[in-house]
Amino acid sequence: MAKLRVGVVSPEREIWSGEADMVIAKTVDGEIGIMPQHAPVLGVLVEGGVLRVKRDGEPELVAAVHGGFISVADDEVSVLAEVAELGSEVDVAAARDALDRAQASIEANQEDSDAAIEAKRARARLRAAGEEV
């Protein structure tokens, strides 16, 4: 069966690269699932999304992805994230603390857009780590 070549990068580093059977990402137009022979696509990733990379016979790779782009062409998937973190790298206690602080700021000021973004990022990090949010 054909495979996808996948690369996930952020400005800081290469997060992951390898072969996959399917990639699932959340874009501003909704969730997209990509399999081999997918039509070319360019999508804008949402803030606080979770990227899933399914590999036959291996555990699913999960990453918190905060903004950026996904590009698909010729069985190659490129994820260019503003910020990204593998679920296995997430400091769960720090993510929960960040979520608590962001929610307290939102309760104090409903129009605190920075706190709303921080809450989305913390929730994505927790979901990527396999935690309940």
Side-chain angles (χ1 to χ4, degrees), residues 42-56:
L42 179 62
V44 177
L45 298 169
V46 298
E47 183 70 44
V50 174
L51 175 77
R52 298 184 183 285
V53 179
K54 297 184 181 263
R55 303 170 291 164
D56 192 32

Side-chain angles (χ1 to χ4, degrees), residues 102-117 119 123:
Q103 288 175 327
S105 291
I106 291 168
E107 287 174 15
N109 178 5
Q110 294 292 321
E111 296 178 17
D112 188 344
S113 61
D114 290 338
I117 289 170
R123 283 188 193 96

Side-chain angles (χ1 to χ4, degrees), residues 28-127:
V28 295
D29 294 321
E31 196 165 67
I32 183 171
I34 299 156
M35 296 178 69
Q37 300 179 351
H38 195 285
V41 165
L42 179 62
V44 177
L45 298 169
V46 298
E47 183 70 44
V50 174
L51 175 77
R52 298 184 183 285
V53 179
K54 297 184 181 263
R55 303 170 291 164
D56 192 32
E58 294 187 47
E60 181 178 78
L61 182 91
V62 183
V65 178
H66 312 294
F69 300 91
I70 185 167
S71 170
V72 180
D74 299 324
D75 287 341
E76 191 161 320
V77 179
S78 297
V79 177
L80 311 166
E82 291 175 21
V83 178
E85 183 177 13
L86 292 174
S88 60
E89 299 172 343
V90 171
D91 180 338
V92 172
R96 286 208 181 280
D97 186 50
L99 179 58
D100 291 343
R101 283 192 322 269
Q103 288 175 327
S105 291
I106 291 168
E107 287 174 15
N109 178 5
Q110 294 292 321
E111 296 178 17
D112 188 344
S113 61
D114 290 338
I117 289 170
E118 184 58 35
K120 283 182 184 180
R121 286 185 176 198
R123 283 188 193 96
R125 293 178 70 223
L126 290 167
R127 285 193 315 272

